[in-house]
Amino acid sequence: MELPRRDRGDERLTPGESTDIRRRLRLNAARHDLVTVIACAFDHRTRMLPFIYADTRMAPAGVRGIGSAMVDAGFEKTRIVLQQWNKKFRPSQMRLDGRIPDLFLVSSMGLHSDQAMEMIRDARRIDPAHRPLIIAGGPHAVYEPFKLFSTDPEDPNGPDVAVTGEEYVLMNLLEVLLSMRGDGERMTSVFDRARTSGALDAIPGLMYPRGRRDGIPEELVNTGVQRLLGDLDELPDSAIGFRLLEPPSRLATLGAAPVPVEQIRKLSPIASVVLTFGCKFNCPYCPIPAYNQRQHRLKSPGRIAEELSRLHTTYGIKHFFGADDNFFNHKQRTIEIVQALADARIGDVPLARRIRWGTEATIHDTLMMKDHLELVHSAGCRALWLGVEDMTATLVNKGQTVLKTQEAFGLLRDHGICPMPMMMHHDSQPLWSRGTNYGLLNQIKILRKAGAVSLQVLMMTPSAGTKLFEGAFTDGMVLEKVGGREVGPQMYDGNYVVASKLNRPWKKQLNMLTGYLYFYNPVWLIVKALDKKNRLKDKAIGMQIIGMLGLFQSVRRTSGWALRLMFGRIERVGEVPASKVPTRESCGTAPASSGGLVQLSVASAR
Ligand code: B12
Ligand code: SF4
């Protein structure tokens, strides 16, 4: 099921409210003097193609955004810990400014949720008289918040509250809590009072547990769908988040100071930046349009140019990745952004000569932009990741065809922009097809010839918050255990076959590896190196090298799974994932104070 949407016209926050709430918090921040640690969960078992470099060399925008908002709201004592760089970090041992933090915030994607839960479990080991308020957020909390709350009496675990939205929801929560907080009162204690009084129920975008035992909910309360920030210019300066990063280390504890400014560029040579959100398409396997409540949200062209300039001048970062869902989604707005970037200067030098950036777009919209690709290039754009999925549009039809894909790739290549295709392999696609373009290798061959610089082949995997999600479970496609090994969340990255109608889907697993090997190999590296006419030659060589290294990792990590799929017993999931305890929808209003459990309506009980 897709994420629900607020009533039409009520999807967005009142303009100015997001800036205003941070201003209001700043007025009281000194009195509360909060210490906050924000951890980004990362499961190192997921390190392989096609994300092998970007996964650790690009400090994620989500935690940086949350850190920037905290500092902008006046809470300077904030540190961001990336498990990507601090594998051994133990929240139970964290001290910042000599104190156990007041707030411990955990951000996670679904596939890193084992690590997120382990960090939360560890934070709960802190003496209850001192333990921080634990708040979970990020994509996993957005799409499957109920999974963050343990229902196992042997393993009480879970955050105090999950934020199912963006920065504003956290600020809203803090404002409510701090307005009720006595001097020096523990955040967990004020949270308990707020929960009991129903004060949380008026904050859209939360899920919190209620029950007699901490860590074992008897019900979950869902306060409804967040209101989205419409004007992304209201976001705090994203440069702030970079100066909060914990230096990489093998220690369980935190360092005395964050990463020095001059080292940031080395650790995170790429900066992901929020430019736009939303996509006008409606692919059934994609949760993005519903998450955005069908809104297209942007930063203004001036703000984008200013932000990239500041990130470059402050930290020396030269490479940027737009966290866009479809950067070309709206032609006129895109032209305005790229024009502003092309015109921007740092001193006497054009910004676009100092920086390079890439982002995601669709084939359809790339063709719509075909008369403006020169401008896109002069704005500094050097790579576009394009969802070609299956070029014959058998899997999903969003107007892509072989001819259109070739045309778009050719145009990009001619304009010095690397086309980076993202493909989706599925049950009915063979490895090779005779006389048609349907096979995986046939399509890779076409893409390679058309100028693809990198390759992404992921297996079609059910994604929470999509139209296809529940059906994949009810149709018996989703695997639970194979050869005795359970499918863990870290395997939901598209690199493992975890859903298939085939009796023996091992071929699919090997097809992906074969596809990568066909694209990333020494022969093709030499071909690229000898190709004198190719304007993108250097990038293609670089990607071949990264690709071969990544392929080694992919083979190492996934071939055991292929063997299990070949010989092991395959057990399938029998039911759609849902909360095991009743979920009460709070309807966005505060119920009367109650010490016991209030149950208004049961949304999902299993
Ligand atoms: C950039 C990106 C990547 C980069 C990440 C690099 C990096 N280190 O940053 C790369 C290319 C490596 C990548 C890979 C993958 N990605 Co990706 N990626 C994105 C993308 C396009 C942008 C992420 C981003 O920066 N967003 C901007 C920030 C500001 O938003 P955010 O992270 O959601 O954070 C906001 C809120 O969630 C919230 N929040 C976040 N953390 C916290 C914490 C607390 C305490 C609170 C209160 C709030 C909060 O506030 C933030 C500010 O508004 C998103 C889609 C999107 N538009 O967000 C997908 C997305 C995150 N990716 C996704 C997936 C599934 C993957 C892959 C598994 C590949 C795949 N099958 O699609 C791999 C996993 C690789 C790995 N090993 O980790 C999914 C995650 C879905 C889920 N349920 O977890 C997303 C959401 C796309 C989607 N809707 O399907 N990805
Ligand atoms: S075009 Fe891409 S971002 Fe848009 S709905 Fe389809 S898969 Fe999602």
Side-chain angles (χ1 to χ4, degrees):
M1 215 174 64
E2 291 190 306
L3 290 180
R5 172 186 184 163
R6 292 190 71 85
D7 290 343
R8 266 171 212 276
D10 187 33
E11 298 96 341
R12 294 179 176 221
L13 289 165
T14 313
E17 170 56 12
S18 176
T19 317
D20 223 33
I21 197 168
R22 296 198 304 278
R23 184 191 53 75
R24 295 196 299 269
L25 281 164
R26 255 191 321 268
L27 297 176
N28 272 317
R31 186 186 140 221
H32 291 287
D33 187 32
L34 295 182
V35 169
T36 306
V37 170
I38 308 168
C40 180
F42 185 83
D43 195 321
H44 284 258
R45 290 173 293 181
T46 64
R47 298 219 60 210
M48 63 183 114
L49 278 181
F51 308 113
I52 193 78
Y53 184 81
D55 55 358
T56 56
R57 307 280 278 163
M58 181 158 91
V63 277
R64 281 174 26 233
I66 293 295
S68 302
M70 288 301 291
V71 171
D72 197 59
F75 306 109
E76 282 281 344
K77 292 175 187 165
T78 299
R79 184 73 58 85
I80 300 172
V81 189
L82 306 180
Q83 274 196 322
Q84 287 89 330
W85 302 349
N86 300 77
K87 209 172 167 177
K88 304 232 163 108
F89 168 63
R90 297 281 305 275
S92 57
Q93 297 184 34
M94 64 189 165
R95 299 287 180 279
L96 190 61
D97 203 35
R99 287 162 51 187
I100 294 175
D102 302 288
L103 299 174
F104 179 52
L105 274 46
V106 182
S107 174
S108 183
M109 287 195 217
L111 80 160
H112 302 302
S113 58
D114 270 357
Q115 299 303 317
M117 293 311 288
E118 190 44 50
M119 281 199 282
I120 295 171
R121 191 175 287 114
D122 192 53
R124 286 180 156 273
R125 294 192 180 111
I126 300 173
D127 173 4
H130 302 286
R131 101 156 157 81
L133 182 70
I134 305 173
I135 306 176
H140 188 46
V142 167
Y143 292 110
E144 297 182 292
F146 64 89
K147 284 196 174 169
L148 288 154
F149 301 95
S150 161
T151 46
D152 177 2
E154 302 297 313
D155 179 28
N157 193 17
D160 294 298
V161 55
V163 167
T164 61
E166 300 174 356
E167 292 94 339
Y168 178 80
V169 182
L170 176 68
M171 296 295 112
N172 197 177
L173 172 65
L174 284 182
E175 187 173 46
V176 169
L177 294 181
L178 296 182
S179 70
M180 298 173 71
R181 188 182 187 215
D183 279 339
E185 185 180 3
R186 278 185 303 114
M187 287 302 284
T188 44
S189 145
V190 64
F191 177 81
D192 279 345
R193 287 196 293 111
R195 171 168 50 189
T196 310
S197 71
L200 302 179
D201 295 3
I203 307 171
L206 300 179
M207 181 173 277
Y208 65 86
R210 288 172 63 102
R212 289 168 193 87
R213 235 184 107 194
D214 188 22
I216 303 289
E218 286 163 42
E219 73 162 4
L220 294 171
V221 181
N222 179 358
T223 67
V225 183
Q226 67 167 334
R227 278 193 190 85
L228 296 164
L229 173 63
D231 177 4
L232 301 182
D233 280 5
E234 283 189 47
L235 286 172
D237 180 3
S238 75
I240 303 173
F242 270 113
R243 66 171 161 83
L244 308 175
L245 295 171
E246 171 70 12
S249 95
R250 294 185 180 187
L251 300 175
T253 51
L254 296 180
V259 176
V261 166
E262 60 283 3
Q263 282 178 27
I264 284 172
R265 173 182 160 196
K266 211 173 116 224
L267 294 166
S268 178
I270 314 170
S272 51
V273 275
V274 171
L275 311 177
T276 71
F277 280 133
C279 173
K280 60 178 173 275
F281 291 97
N282 204 3
C283 305
Y285 53 82
C286 174
I288 285 166
Y291 167 79
N292 284 289
Q293 301 182 46
R294 319 280 159 193
Q295 307 292 305
H296 187 224
R297 305 180 284 148
L298 302 94
K299 281 183 182 158
S300 65
R303 161 77 184 246
I304 291 173
E306 191 187 301
E307 201 161 314
L308 298 189
S309 304
R310 193 166 32 249
L311 285 165
H312 176 69
T313 48
T314 315
Y315 303 113
I317 297 174
K318 289 185 185 154
H319 298 99
F320 296 89
F321 183 75
D324 307 285
D325 302 311
N326 177 10
F327 181 66
F328 291 163
N329 194 51
H330 187 293
K331 187 173 169 185
Q332 191 50 38
R333 291 172 179 176
T334 312
I335 293 172
E336 287 164 17
I337 295 174
V338 287
Q339 186 69 60
L341 286 173
D343 292 345
R345 306 181 81 79
I346 299 181
D348 292 339
V349 186
L351 170 68
R353 228 186 265 159
R354 297 267 187 101
I355 65 157
R356 299 281 176 258
W357 56 274
T359 185
E360 292 188 22
T362 59
I363 297 283
H364 171 87
D365 292 306
T366 304
L367 290 175
M368 298 296 283
M369 284 288 293
K370 69 176 164 194
D371 297 332
H372 306 277
L373 291 176
E374 193 54 53
L375 179 63
V376 175
H377 179 267
S378 48
C381 178
R382 292 294 181 273
L384 279 181
W385 276 260
L386 300 155
V388 301
E389 333 297 6
D390 156 14
M391 274 189 284
T392 57
T394 312
L395 176 67
V396 61
N397 188 353
K398 48 185 182 188
Q400 81 277 33
T401 60
V402 171
L403 284 179
K404 283 185 187 171
T405 308
Q406 285 170 323
E407 185 187 354
F409 275 44
L411 285 165
L412 290 174
R413 204 185 46 204
D414 294 347
H415 286 93
I417 301 171
C418 302
M420 318 290 249
M422 302 188 287
M423 303 183 71
M424 215 177 256
H425 189 38
H426 52 96
D427 273 358
S428 46
Q429 185 181 39
L431 180 64
W432 176 262
S433 61
R434 192 181 290 272
T436 71
N437 294 323
Y438 193 38
L440 179 64
L441 296 186
N442 307 61
Q443 299 203 4
I444 296 176
K445 190 174 176 190
I446 294 170
L447 293 170
R448 203 166 65 176
K449 217 168 155 194
V453 169
S454 69
L455 180 73
Q456 173 172 318
V457 184
L458 296 181
M459 184 70 193
M460 171 89 174
T461 304
S463 176
T466 61
K467 289 196 191 97
L468 299 182
F469 187 65
E470 278 76 12
F473 288 85
T474 48
D475 290 355
M477 278 181 80
V478 183
L479 314 187
E480 183 163 29
K481 264 187 195 173
V482 180
R485 181 177 164 190
E486 221 163 286
V487 175
Q490 82 285 359
M491 294 169 73
Y492 271 75
D493 65 349
N495 278 313
Y496 294 87
V497 177
V498 295
S500 168
K501 283 191 174 159
L502 305 176
N503 286 338
R504 287 282 156 206
W506 59 269
K507 278 191 189 161
K508 299 281 127 193
Q509 192 67 58
L510 294 185
N511 286 356
M512 285 189 281
L513 293 177
T514 312
Y516 281 127
L517 184 63
Y518 185 59
F519 191 87
Y520 294 120
N521 58 65
V523 176
W524 201 244
L525 170 66
I526 295 168
V527 172
K528 290 282 160 197
L530 297 177
D531 185 358
K532 292 203 178 98
K533 283 193 225 136
N534 188 354
R535 196 173 164 186
L536 305 172
K537 177 176 159 176
D538 294 350
K539 283 147 194 145
I541 292 173
M543 283 311 303
Q544 281 293 325
I545 294 168
I546 295 179
M548 282 187 274
L549 293 173
L551 179 55
F552 175 74
Q553 279 293 77
S554 297
V555 172
R556 193 170 80 81
R557 294 204 190 275
T558 63
S559 43
W561 187 246
L563 286 175
R564 279 175 198 270
L565 291 170
M566 206 181 288
F567 300 114
R569 181 167 161 245
I570 296 180
E571 295 167 61
R572 293 172 190 266
V573 182
E575 56 181 21
V576 178
S579 171
K580 293 204 169 53
V581 293
T583 303
R584 169 164 69 83
E585 308 291 331
S586 80
C587 318
T589 49
S593 163
S594 156
L597 297 175
V598 201
Q599 195 150 319
L600 299 179
S601 73
V602 176
S604 66
R606 243 161 214 281

